[in-house]
Amino acid sequence: MILGCLAAAGVVFAAEKPFLRIDGAYLAYSYDFNQIYGENVRFRFAGYDVSGNRLRIDLASQSFRLSGAVRMIEPDRVLEGDELFFVPHDESGVLVAYGEIISRMPIGEADIQALLNLRPNTEDISPSRIAGSLFYFSGRRMDITPSYDLYGRDVTLFIEGLESIGLTRFRLSEGIRQVENGFVLERLRYNRGRGLNARAGYIYRSGDKFRSLSSLDYEERALFRGIGGLPRQADIRTDNTLFLGRNLDLDLSAQYNTSGLFSSSLSMSRSGGGDNRFRAGIAHNRPINRPAETWLETSVLAVRPKGGRLEFFGGYEARNQVAARLDYGLPLRENLNFRLGSTYAALRGGRTGALSRIFTGNLDLVWSARIFDLSSHYFLNSDLVGRSLLSQPQLRIGLRPVSLYDGWLSLRLDNIFIYNRMRLGEDWSTAYSNNTMLYLSARPAAIGNGFSFGWDLALEEFLEKQGRNFFSGGLILRAEQKLGPRVALEGLYRYRTRRLSQGWLIEGTSGQDLSAVFRVRPADPFGGWMSLSYDPAAGRLRQSFADVSVGLVKNWRFHSQMNWDFLLNKLNNIDLYLIREAGRFQVRFMWRSISRQILVELVPR
Amino acid sequence: MLGSACISLKIPAVFPGGDRVDRMVICASVAFDKGLYEPRDITSDFRLRDGRVVCHVRLNDVGRELRLRWRWYDPGGRLFRDTGDLLVNVEERFLSVLTATDILELTEDWDDGAIGRWTVVFTVDDVRVESLDFRIGRD
């Protein structure tokens, strides 16, 4: 399956001309890390025939570095140096020589500092790193295209260090985003649960004038037994942008799904420098089981250093539907912020298609001081058809965490007061509530002989007009005993209580649990933890969880997670993983006891 | 009597043998681990009070005598320390791994010219070159 994915990634029907052809005594490309390492290489760059001892390329960051006995030859001169940092696509570079001083000679229109700043990206590229890859290719010639695709000629594929197949010409890198022009079969997969899934894309770009990306997703289930759902499904999508001038674009996009969904939009956008922009367009959507909609839309974003940030969206639909949104934010002072927002929506919904008209508004004023935040909010929701109205002012005071006793103790206090005034028809009602929360936390303190102790306390008081008041509290005690450099035993005791008071009636609940965790901090080759929880009130064990990780050979790792239920006296679940870390992706072989399935996953990272 | 000789060869697709720098790092110290000195506290940021900067190099498949050399350049790009050539493996034994370190001693009374980006350059037989940047700050 893995080979299938790699092969699928490699199928390209229209290739670009390479802008860097590298010949070397030895070249290797790591698929895991998207990096190239080469020895005794030569290539043509910026009009020079370049040769050198050791080449390192990080394709993801587009960092190129040639080290050792670097020679750059053109018909009438020869340049020599110790290292060349270069960017092939704009033919710029810097040739560095280490003598009594460091001399740096620019090649082309080079930004020397920017080129030298790319140096860290190539520092970890080494023969052992490449050879430790799950997939790597070796050969004597490689081509890099302007979209940073990599093609190898007469390359050999190595899987986990073992020589695999030889390939005459092969696309080594992958990715629809990297391709400048052409058709790409991006994915071809079979999954027992979903059947066959293919994704293909076509990219066309004409200089700075036009860009188009179209894709097709296809799922086939009818040909395979035991797979539910639609027999097959296709999703076609196209996004096209015509660059009409500086800061002026015309966008056309459409999407069609064989289930019947269709949407399309045509819009023009103009950016006015910085974040300022204007957009206007028309959109047509055809959802399932609902009437089609055609919207005329416009949006404006205006940002002024002193005038604040204004954002507006307005839309009108052919069946008299309207949607509008306005947001305005203004920093009044360094620590005082003002924000005003409003929406209006006249939308049709339900089976009858009746029109609802809702107006909402909010007004916020936030003051941030050194030790507390004070904010006032006002929210209004008015149903203009149903004649209901909610008016809700809110006041929040929050004490920023205060450190006491040299940071050992941390204190935080929040208070929220909300006043609601509601109208339903001709009836008015009011409600109010106040919520106060206090958090007190003590950092673990070392007591001696590897023993440390800390605690957290949280209290909350809720009062409201209707009298459904409550008080709740929670206490957590944490202790840790170190048993070795990586081994520790942790204990955790939690107690929580909640008291409801309504008039003379007080009722409440409380709960507590005690748990212990035996932890081995991850390091080669072993890491993991096991927990045991105990109910002190009932006097019995509850659950046990375990998470174990063991390093195997190379970058392979065995991982297991399990859960034992003492109440039912059975193993609830056990998951077993065999994981291969491979740079930009991870290969996982999994067995899950609940689903009783073996799964293989390629997880991008 | 007439005769002929014929030679054929195949270029290996695996990594070619030979002494090569596998890894070079800047670190605060080294520790003896499983028979080799290995880098500890790998970083590229130092303070004058740290006392020293260590450049650690690991070479693989060394089968002959090598000349190793470190050159340290200050933020002005001037050569500050040059170890000269250090001969290793003069017995020309085959060594699967060879590690080597050089140390730049720091003192807190250095002037502001020492504050900034430094470069350390490592060469093998004057030909194979590795370089790394690191920063030295005052506090």
Side-chain angles (χ1 to χ4, degrees), chain A residues 39 54 56 65 83 98-100 102 113 119 123 126-128 138, chain B residues 13 15 20-22 71 73 77 79 117 121 127-128 130-132:
Chain A
E39 289 189 359
R54 192 167 144 103
R56 280 166 289 180
R65 175 186 196 172
E83 287 197 286
Y98 301 106
E100 284 301 307
I102 300 177
Q113 201 50 54
R119 180 203 293 254
E123 278 172 2
S126 67
S128 61
S138 74
Chain B
F15 276 101
R20 59 166 50 79
V21 178
D22 186 57
R71 278 173 289 178
Y73 292 88
L79 183 62
R117 185 149 81 176
V121 179
V127 180
R128 268 153 291 172
E130 291 299 318
S131 70
L132 282 175

PDB file of all heavy atoms in Angstrom, chain A residues 39 54 56 65 83 98-100 102 113 119 123 126-128 138, chain B residues 13 15 20-22 71 73 77 79 117 121 127-128 130-132:
ATOM      1  N   GLU A  39      27.683  13.927  -3.193  1.00  0.00           N
ATOM      2  CA  GLU A  39      29.141  14.023  -3.067  1.00  0.00           C
ATOM      3  C   GLU A  39      29.762  14.168  -4.451  1.00  0.00           C
ATOM      4  O   GLU A  39      29.305  13.546  -5.402  1.00  0.00           O
ATOM      5  CB  GLU A  39      29.690  12.784  -2.355  1.00  0.00           C
ATOM      6  CG  GLU A  39      29.334  12.777  -0.893  1.00  0.00           C
ATOM      7  CD  GLU A  39      30.039  11.681  -0.115  1.00  0.00           C
ATOM      8  OE1 GLU A  39      30.794  10.905  -0.711  1.00  0.00           O
ATOM      9  OE2 GLU A  39      29.810  11.620   1.105  1.00  0.00           O
ATOM     10  N   ARG A  54      30.603  18.488  -1.464  1.00  0.00           N
ATOM     11  CA  ARG A  54      29.473  17.965  -0.679  1.00  0.00           C
ATOM     12  C   ARG A  54      28.286  18.909  -0.863  1.00  0.00           C
ATOM     13  O   ARG A  54      28.369  20.094  -0.546  1.00  0.00           O
ATOM     14  CB  ARG A  54      29.937  17.955   0.772  1.00  0.00           C
ATOM     15  CG  ARG A  54      29.134  17.244   1.778  1.00  0.00           C
ATOM     16  CD  ARG A  54      30.022  17.143   3.002  1.00  0.00           C
ATOM     17  NE  ARG A  54      29.303  17.276   4.239  1.00  0.00           N
ATOM     18  CZ  ARG A  54      28.989  16.251   5.023  1.00  0.00           C
ATOM     19  NH1 ARG A  54      29.332  15.043   4.685  1.00  0.00           N
ATOM     20  NH2 ARG A  54      28.351  16.452   6.158  1.00  0.00           N
ATOM     21  N   ARG A  56      24.242  19.784  -0.078  1.00  0.00           N
ATOM     22  CA  ARG A  56      23.097  19.521   0.803  1.00  0.00           C
ATOM     23  C   ARG A  56      21.953  20.446   0.414  1.00  0.00           C
ATOM     24  O   ARG A  56      22.155  21.659   0.290  1.00  0.00           O
ATOM     25  CB  ARG A  56      23.483  19.734   2.267  1.00  0.00           C
ATOM     26  CG  ARG A  56      24.239  18.553   2.837  1.00  0.00           C
ATOM     27  CD  ARG A  56      24.900  18.866   4.127  1.00  0.00           C
ATOM     28  NE  ARG A  56      26.037  19.757   3.941  1.00  0.00           N
ATOM     29  CZ  ARG A  56      26.794  20.186   4.924  1.00  0.00           C
ATOM     30  NH1 ARG A  56      26.530  19.840   6.149  1.00  0.00           N
ATOM     31  NH2 ARG A  56      27.816  20.978   4.685  1.00  0.00           N
ATOM     32  N   ARG A  65      23.201  24.310  -0.462  1.00  0.00           N
ATOM     33  CA  ARG A  65      24.532  24.570   0.087  1.00  0.00           C
ATOM     34  C   ARG A  65      25.531  23.572  -0.494  1.00  0.00           C
ATOM     35  O   ARG A  65      25.307  22.363  -0.474  1.00  0.00           O
ATOM     36  CB  ARG A  65      24.463  24.396   1.596  1.00  0.00           C
ATOM     37  CG  ARG A  65      25.771  24.513   2.319  1.00  0.00           C
ATOM     38  CD  ARG A  65      25.514  24.163   3.762  1.00  0.00           C
ATOM     39  NE  ARG A  65      26.582  24.585   4.626  1.00  0.00           N
ATOM     40  CZ  ARG A  65      26.521  24.521   5.947  1.00  0.00           C
ATOM     41  NH1 ARG A  65      25.431  24.099   6.525  1.00  0.00           N
ATOM     42  NH2 ARG A  65      27.529  24.902   6.685  1.00  0.00           N
ATOM     43  N   GLU A  83      32.603  27.435   0.478  1.00  0.00           N
ATOM     44  CA  GLU A  83      31.176  27.102   0.536  1.00  0.00           C
ATOM     45  C   GLU A  83      30.395  28.020  -0.394  1.00  0.00           C
ATOM     46  O   GLU A  83      30.754  29.190  -0.577  1.00  0.00           O
ATOM     47  CB  GLU A  83      30.628  27.269   1.959  1.00  0.00           C
ATOM     48  CG  GLU A  83      31.090  26.188   2.921  1.00  0.00           C
ATOM     49  CD  GLU A  83      30.236  26.115   4.168  1.00  0.00           C
ATOM     50  OE1 GLU A  83      30.363  27.010   5.027  1.00  0.00           O
ATOM     51  OE2 GLU A  83      29.442  25.175   4.283  1.00  0.00           O
ATOM     52  N   TYR A  98      37.114  30.808   3.673  1.00  0.00           N
ATOM     53  CA  TYR A  98      37.581  30.956   5.049  1.00  0.00           C
ATOM     54  C   TYR A  98      39.104  31.047   5.050  1.00  0.00           C
ATOM     55  O   TYR A  98      39.796  30.053   4.837  1.00  0.00           O
ATOM     56  CB  TYR A  98      37.114  29.763   5.893  1.00  0.00           C
ATOM     57  CG  TYR A  98      35.610  29.604   5.916  1.00  0.00           C
ATOM     58  CD1 TYR A  98      34.993  28.587   5.194  1.00  0.00           C
ATOM     59  CD2 TYR A  98      34.806  30.473   6.640  1.00  0.00           C
ATOM     60  CE1 TYR A  98      33.612  28.444   5.208  1.00  0.00           C
ATOM     61  CE2 TYR A  98      33.427  30.341   6.650  1.00  0.00           C
ATOM     62  CZ  TYR A  98      32.838  29.320   5.932  1.00  0.00           C
ATOM     63  OH  TYR A  98      31.474  29.196   5.942  1.00  0.00           O
ATOM     64  N   GLY A  99      39.624  32.252   5.249  1.00  0.00           N
ATOM     65  CA  GLY A  99      41.065  32.446   5.344  1.00  0.00           C
ATOM     66  C   GLY A  99      41.362  33.159   6.650  1.00  0.00           C
ATOM     67  O   GLY A  99      40.820  32.798   7.694  1.00  0.00           O
ATOM     68  N   GLU A 100      42.232  34.190   6.618  1.00  0.00           N
ATOM     69  CA  GLU A 100      42.476  34.995   7.816  1.00  0.00           C
ATOM     70  C   GLU A 100      41.211  35.752   8.205  1.00  0.00           C
ATOM     71  O   GLU A 100      40.992  36.083   9.360  1.00  0.00           O
ATOM     72  CB  GLU A 100      43.620  35.989   7.565  1.00  0.00           C
ATOM     73  CG  GLU A 100      45.006  35.359   7.585  1.00  0.00           C
ATOM     74  CD  GLU A 100      45.321  34.680   8.913  1.00  0.00           C
ATOM     75  OE1 GLU A 100      45.188  35.341   9.960  1.00  0.00           O
ATOM     76  OE2 GLU A 100      45.670  33.477   8.899  1.00  0.00           O
ATOM     77  N   ILE A 102      36.804  35.970   6.884  1.00  0.00           N
ATOM     78  CA  ILE A 102      35.783  35.311   6.061  1.00  0.00           C
ATOM     79  C   ILE A 102      35.458  36.268   4.922  1.00  0.00           C
ATOM     80  O   ILE A 102      35.063  37.412   5.164  1.00  0.00           O
ATOM     81  CB  ILE A 102      34.500  35.022   6.866  1.00  0.00           C
ATOM     82  CG1 ILE A 102      34.801  34.107   8.053  1.00  0.00           C
ATOM     83  CG2 ILE A 102      33.450  34.382   5.978  1.00  0.00           C
ATOM     84  CD1 ILE A 102      33.589  33.831   8.945  1.00  0.00           C
ATOM     85  N   GLN A 113      22.909  38.281   3.559  1.00  0.00           N
ATOM     86  CA  GLN A 113      22.447  37.884   4.885  1.00  0.00           C
ATOM     87  C   GLN A 113      21.287  36.901   4.803  1.00  0.00           C
ATOM     88  O   GLN A 113      21.222  35.928   5.555  1.00  0.00           O
ATOM     89  CB  GLN A 113      22.052  39.135   5.688  1.00  0.00           C
ATOM     90  CG  GLN A 113      22.047  38.907   7.190  1.00  0.00           C
ATOM     91  CD  GLN A 113      23.339  38.262   7.702  1.00  0.00           C
ATOM     92  OE1 GLN A 113      24.430  38.757   7.448  1.00  0.00           O
ATOM     93  NE2 GLN A 113      23.202  37.129   8.389  1.00  0.00           N
ATOM     94  N   ARG A 119      21.325  28.827   6.254  1.00  0.00           N
ATOM     95  CA  ARG A 119      22.313  27.809   6.622  1.00  0.00           C
ATOM     96  C   ARG A 119      21.776  26.747   7.603  1.00  0.00           C
ATOM     97  O   ARG A 119      21.985  25.550   7.379  1.00  0.00           O
ATOM     98  CB  ARG A 119      23.539  28.496   7.231  1.00  0.00           C
ATOM     99  CG  ARG A 119      24.636  27.547   7.645  1.00  0.00           C
ATOM    100  CD  ARG A 119      25.516  28.184   8.694  1.00  0.00           C
ATOM    101  NE  ARG A 119      26.280  29.300   8.201  1.00  0.00           N
ATOM    102  CZ  ARG A 119      27.596  29.249   7.962  1.00  0.00           C
ATOM    103  NH1 ARG A 119      28.244  28.140   8.144  1.00  0.00           N
ATOM    104  NH2 ARG A 119      28.230  30.317   7.559  1.00  0.00           N
ATOM    105  N   GLU A 123      21.936  22.103   8.013  1.00  0.00           N
ATOM    106  CA  GLU A 123      22.944  21.603   8.956  1.00  0.00           C
ATOM    107  C   GLU A 123      22.722  20.155   9.363  1.00  0.00           C
ATOM    108  O   GLU A 123      23.672  19.437   9.652  1.00  0.00           O
ATOM    109  CB  GLU A 123      22.973  22.496  10.204  1.00  0.00           C
ATOM    110  CG  GLU A 123      23.810  23.734   9.973  1.00  0.00           C
ATOM    111  CD  GLU A 123      23.706  24.737  11.096  1.00  0.00           C
ATOM    112  OE1 GLU A 123      23.016  24.461  12.085  1.00  0.00           O
ATOM    113  OE2 GLU A 123      24.308  25.820  10.964  1.00  0.00           O
ATOM    114  N   SER A 126      22.797  14.716   6.624  1.00  0.00           N
ATOM    115  CA  SER A 126      24.024  13.923   6.715  1.00  0.00           C
ATOM    116  C   SER A 126      23.775  12.558   6.091  1.00  0.00           C
ATOM    117  O   SER A 126      22.627  12.140   5.936  1.00  0.00           O
ATOM    118  CB  SER A 126      24.432  13.762   8.176  1.00  0.00           C
ATOM    119  OG  SER A 126      23.475  12.976   8.843  1.00  0.00           O
ATOM    120  N   PRO A 127      24.844  11.845   5.731  1.00  0.00           N
ATOM    121  CA  PRO A 127      24.660  10.513   5.145  1.00  0.00           C
ATOM    122  C   PRO A 127      23.859   9.585   6.062  1.00  0.00           C
ATOM    123  O   PRO A 127      22.979   8.866   5.600  1.00  0.00           O
ATOM    124  CB  PRO A 127      26.092  10.001   4.978  1.00  0.00           C
ATOM    125  CG  PRO A 127      26.935  11.213   4.920  1.00  0.00           C
ATOM    126  CD  PRO A 127      26.258  12.240   5.764  1.00  0.00           C
ATOM    127  N   SER A 128      24.130   9.637   7.373  1.00  0.00           N
ATOM    128  CA  SER A 128      23.430   8.696   8.248  1.00  0.00           C
ATOM    129  C   SER A 128      21.956   9.059   8.370  1.00  0.00           C
ATOM    130  O   SER A 128      21.104   8.187   8.516  1.00  0.00           O
ATOM    131  CB  SER A 128      24.095   8.656   9.628  1.00  0.00           C
ATOM    132  OG  SER A 128      24.035   9.918  10.232  1.00  0.00           O
ATOM    133  N   SER A 138      18.753   6.631  -4.394  1.00  0.00           N
ATOM    134  CA  SER A 138      20.119   7.039  -4.698  1.00  0.00           C
ATOM    135  C   SER A 138      20.332   6.928  -6.202  1.00  0.00           C
ATOM    136  O   SER A 138      19.697   6.117  -6.877  1.00  0.00           O
ATOM    137  CB  SER A 138      21.136   6.184  -3.943  1.00  0.00           C
ATOM    138  OG  SER A 138      21.205   4.915  -4.527  1.00  0.00           O
TER     139      SER A 138
ATOM    140  N   ALA B  13      25.077   1.282  -5.527  1.00  0.00           N
ATOM    141  CA  ALA B  13      23.999   2.246  -5.304  1.00  0.00           C
ATOM    142  C   ALA B  13      23.891   2.644  -3.848  1.00  0.00           C
ATOM    143  O   ALA B  13      23.166   3.545  -3.496  1.00  0.00           O
ATOM    144  CB  ALA B  13      22.685   1.647  -5.773  1.00  0.00           C
ATOM    145  N   PHE B  15      25.643   3.919  -0.084  1.00  0.00           N
ATOM    146  CA  PHE B  15      26.586   4.983   0.210  1.00  0.00           C
ATOM    147  C   PHE B  15      27.998   4.490  -0.015  1.00  0.00           C
ATOM    148  O   PHE B  15      28.370   3.418   0.472  1.00  0.00           O
ATOM    149  CB  PHE B  15      26.460   5.435   1.667  1.00  0.00           C
ATOM    150  CG  PHE B  15      25.376   6.422   1.858  1.00  0.00           C
ATOM    151  CD1 PHE B  15      24.160   6.039   2.377  1.00  0.00           C
ATOM    152  CD2 PHE B  15      25.563   7.739   1.500  1.00  0.00           C
ATOM    153  CE1 PHE B  15      23.146   6.953   2.542  1.00  0.00           C
ATOM    154  CE2 PHE B  15      24.546   8.656   1.670  1.00  0.00           C
ATOM    155  CZ  PHE B  15      23.339   8.268   2.184  1.00  0.00           C
ATOM    156  N   ARG B  20      33.987  10.339   6.057  1.00  0.00           N
ATOM    157  CA  ARG B  20      33.137  11.499   5.796  1.00  0.00           C
ATOM    158  C   ARG B  20      32.602  12.048   7.114  1.00  0.00           C
ATOM    159  O   ARG B  20      32.412  11.320   8.085  1.00  0.00           O
ATOM    160  CB  ARG B  20      31.970  11.144   4.891  1.00  0.00           C
ATOM    161  CG  ARG B  20      31.065  10.080   5.415  1.00  0.00           C
ATOM    162  CD  ARG B  20      29.775  10.044   4.631  1.00  0.00           C
ATOM    163  NE  ARG B  20      29.982  10.011   3.196  1.00  0.00           N
ATOM    164  CZ  ARG B  20      30.301   8.921   2.516  1.00  0.00           C
ATOM    165  NH1 ARG B  20      30.456   7.784   3.147  1.00  0.00           N
ATOM    166  NH2 ARG B  20      30.448   8.960   1.227  1.00  0.00           N
ATOM    167  N   VAL B  21      32.424  13.366   7.102  1.00  0.00           N
ATOM    168  CA  VAL B  21      31.859  14.013   8.284  1.00  0.00           C
ATOM    169  C   VAL B  21      30.372  13.689   8.307  1.00  0.00           C
ATOM    170  O   VAL B  21      29.642  14.054   7.394  1.00  0.00           O
ATOM    171  CB  VAL B  21      32.074  15.539   8.243  1.00  0.00           C
ATOM    172  CG1 VAL B  21      31.434  16.187   9.447  1.00  0.00           C
ATOM    173  CG2 VAL B  21      33.538  15.865   8.164  1.00  0.00           C
ATOM    174  N   ASP B  22      29.967  12.974   9.329  1.00  0.00           N
ATOM    175  CA  ASP B  22      28.564  12.608   9.398  1.00  0.00           C
ATOM    176  C   ASP B  22      27.757  13.666  10.124  1.00  0.00           C
ATOM    177  O   ASP B  22      26.630  13.955   9.766  1.00  0.00           O
ATOM    178  CB  ASP B  22      28.417  11.266  10.125  1.00  0.00           C
ATOM    179  CG  ASP B  22      26.989  10.790  10.097  1.00  0.00           C
ATOM    180  OD1 ASP B  22      26.457  10.660   8.991  1.00  0.00           O
ATOM    181  OD2 ASP B  22      26.405  10.593  11.177  1.00  0.00           O
ATOM    182  N   ARG B  71      38.801  26.248  12.763  1.00  0.00           N
ATOM    183  CA  ARG B  71      39.075  27.689  12.759  1.00  0.00           C
ATOM    184  C   ARG B  71      37.824  28.409  13.267  1.00  0.00           C
ATOM    185  O   ARG B  71      36.718  28.128  12.797  1.00  0.00           O
ATOM    186  CB  ARG B  71      39.441  28.165  11.348  1.00  0.00           C
ATOM    187  CG  ARG B  71      40.898  27.896  11.013  1.00  0.00           C
ATOM    188  CD  ARG B  71      41.215  28.200   9.584  1.00  0.00           C
ATOM    189  NE  ARG B  71      40.621  27.219   8.700  1.00  0.00           N
ATOM    190  CZ  ARG B  71      40.712  27.258   7.384  1.00  0.00           C
ATOM    191  NH1 ARG B  71      41.350  28.247   6.796  1.00  0.00           N
ATOM    192  NH2 ARG B  71      40.159  26.328   6.642  1.00  0.00           N
ATOM    193  N   TYR B  73      35.882  32.039  13.906  1.00  0.00           N
ATOM    194  CA  TYR B  73      35.840  33.420  13.423  1.00  0.00           C
ATOM    195  C   TYR B  73      34.904  34.239  14.297  1.00  0.00           C
ATOM    196  O   TYR B  73      33.780  33.798  14.604  1.00  0.00           O
ATOM    197  CB  TYR B  73      35.350  33.460  11.975  1.00  0.00           C
ATOM    198  CG  TYR B  73      36.334  32.842  11.009  1.00  0.00           C
ATOM    199  CD1 TYR B  73      36.291  31.485  10.738  1.00  0.00           C
ATOM    200  CD2 TYR B  73      37.318  33.613  10.383  1.00  0.00           C
ATOM    201  CE1 TYR B  73      37.191  30.898   9.859  1.00  0.00           C
ATOM    202  CE2 TYR B  73      38.222  33.035   9.502  1.00  0.00           C
ATOM    203  CZ  TYR B  73      38.165  31.683   9.247  1.00  0.00           C
ATOM    204  OH  TYR B  73      39.063  31.115   8.382  1.00  0.00           O
ATOM    205  N   GLY B  77      34.196  38.585  11.457  1.00  0.00           N
ATOM    206  CA  GLY B  77      34.682  37.736  10.383  1.00  0.00           C
ATOM    207  C   GLY B  77      36.187  37.524  10.430  1.00  0.00           C
ATOM    208  O   GLY B  77      36.782  37.045   9.458  1.00  0.00           O
ATOM    209  N   LEU B  79      39.726  35.766  11.889  1.00  0.00           N
ATOM    210  CA  LEU B  79      40.140  34.485  12.471  1.00  0.00           C
ATOM    211  C   LEU B  79      40.553  34.719  13.920  1.00  0.00           C
ATOM    212  O   LEU B  79      41.437  35.527  14.210  1.00  0.00           O
ATOM    213  CB  LEU B  79      41.310  33.902  11.664  1.00  0.00           C
ATOM    214  CG  LEU B  79      41.818  32.535  12.113  1.00  0.00           C
ATOM    215  CD1 LEU B  79      40.740  31.472  11.977  1.00  0.00           C
ATOM    216  CD2 LEU B  79      43.055  32.142  11.314  1.00  0.00           C
ATOM    217  N   ARG B 117      27.360  37.049  16.139  1.00  0.00           N
ATOM    218  CA  ARG B 117      27.351  35.745  15.472  1.00  0.00           C
ATOM    219  C   ARG B 117      28.765  35.296  15.125  1.00  0.00           C
ATOM    220  O   ARG B 117      29.464  35.968  14.376  1.00  0.00           O
ATOM    221  CB  ARG B 117      26.490  35.819  14.212  1.00  0.00           C
ATOM    222  CG  ARG B 117      26.351  34.468  13.548  1.00  0.00           C
ATOM    223  CD  ARG B 117      25.040  34.308  12.836  1.00  0.00           C
ATOM    224  NE  ARG B 117      25.042  34.927  11.533  1.00  0.00           N
ATOM    225  CZ  ARG B 117      24.032  34.851  10.674  1.00  0.00           C
ATOM    226  NH1 ARG B 117      22.948  34.186  11.010  1.00  0.00           N
ATOM    227  NH2 ARG B 117      24.088  35.428   9.513  1.00  0.00           N
ATOM    228  N   VAL B 121      34.687  26.740  11.577  1.00  0.00           N
ATOM    229  CA  VAL B 121      34.905  26.012  10.326  1.00  0.00           C
ATOM    230  C   VAL B 121      35.779  24.807  10.635  1.00  0.00           C
ATOM    231  O   VAL B 121      36.804  24.922  11.311  1.00  0.00           O
ATOM    232  CB  VAL B 121      35.594  26.922   9.276  1.00  0.00           C
ATOM    233  CG1 VAL B 121      35.852  26.155   7.990  1.00  0.00           C
ATOM    234  CG2 VAL B 121      34.745  28.148   9.006  1.00  0.00           C
ATOM    235  N   VAL B 127      40.344  20.068   2.516  1.00  0.00           N
ATOM    236  CA  VAL B 127      39.423  20.011   1.375  1.00  0.00           C
ATOM    237  C   VAL B 127      37.975  19.965   1.832  1.00  0.00           C
ATOM    238  O   VAL B 127      37.159  20.800   1.457  1.00  0.00           O
ATOM    239  CB  VAL B 127      39.727  18.784   0.482  1.00  0.00           C
ATOM    240  CG1 VAL B 127      38.766  18.738  -0.695  1.00  0.00           C
ATOM    241  CG2 VAL B 127      41.164  18.843   0.008  1.00  0.00           C
ATOM    242  N   ARG B 128      37.677  18.980   2.636  1.00  0.00           N
ATOM    243  CA  ARG B 128      36.290  18.869   3.079  1.00  0.00           C
ATOM    244  C   ARG B 128      36.013  19.897   4.166  1.00  0.00           C
ATOM    245  O   ARG B 128      36.743  19.980   5.154  1.00  0.00           O
ATOM    246  CB  ARG B 128      35.998  17.469   3.584  1.00  0.00           C
ATOM    247  CG  ARG B 128      35.466  16.614   2.468  1.00  0.00           C
ATOM    248  CD  ARG B 128      35.757  15.190   2.687  1.00  0.00           C
ATOM    249  NE  ARG B 128      37.180  14.925   2.567  1.00  0.00           N
ATOM    250  CZ  ARG B 128      37.723  13.765   2.862  1.00  0.00           C
ATOM    251  NH1 ARG B 128      36.985  12.803   3.319  1.00  0.00           N
ATOM    252  NH2 ARG B 128      39.010  13.565   2.708  1.00  0.00           N
ATOM    253  N   GLU B 130      33.266  21.973   6.697  1.00  0.00           N
ATOM    254  CA  GLU B 130      31.975  22.110   7.377  1.00  0.00           C
ATOM    255  C   GLU B 130      32.006  23.427   8.133  1.00  0.00           C
ATOM    256  O   GLU B 130      33.067  23.832   8.633  1.00  0.00           O
ATOM    257  CB  GLU B 130      31.788  20.986   8.400  1.00  0.00           C
ATOM    258  CG  GLU B 130      31.596  19.637   7.807  1.00  0.00           C
ATOM    259  CD  GLU B 130      30.361  19.574   6.951  1.00  0.00           C
ATOM    260  OE1 GLU B 130      29.328  20.129   7.367  1.00  0.00           O
ATOM    261  OE2 GLU B 130      30.434  18.993   5.863  1.00  0.00           O
ATOM    262  N   SER B 131      30.874  24.087   8.239  1.00  0.00           N
ATOM    263  CA  SER B 131      30.841  25.319   9.028  1.00  0.00           C
ATOM    264  C   SER B 131      29.522  25.412   9.781  1.00  0.00           C
ATOM    265  O   SER B 131      28.516  24.875   9.330  1.00  0.00           O
ATOM    266  CB  SER B 131      31.026  26.545   8.135  1.00  0.00           C
ATOM    267  OG  SER B 131      29.894  26.737   7.339  1.00  0.00           O
ATOM    268  N   LEU B 132      29.572  26.080  10.904  1.00  0.00           N
ATOM    269  CA  LEU B 132      28.369  26.298  11.715  1.00  0.00           C
ATOM    270  C   LEU B 132      28.416  27.702  12.300  1.00  0.00           C
ATOM    271  O   LEU B 132      29.503  28.220  12.585  1.00  0.00           O
ATOM    272  CB  LEU B 132      28.310  25.302  12.880  1.00  0.00           C
ATOM    273  CG  LEU B 132      27.868  23.871  12.606  1.00  0.00           C
ATOM    274  CD1 LEU B 132      28.022  23.051  13.879  1.00  0.00           C
ATOM    275  CD2 LEU B 132      26.428  23.827  12.149  1.00  0.00           C
TER     276      LEU B 132
END
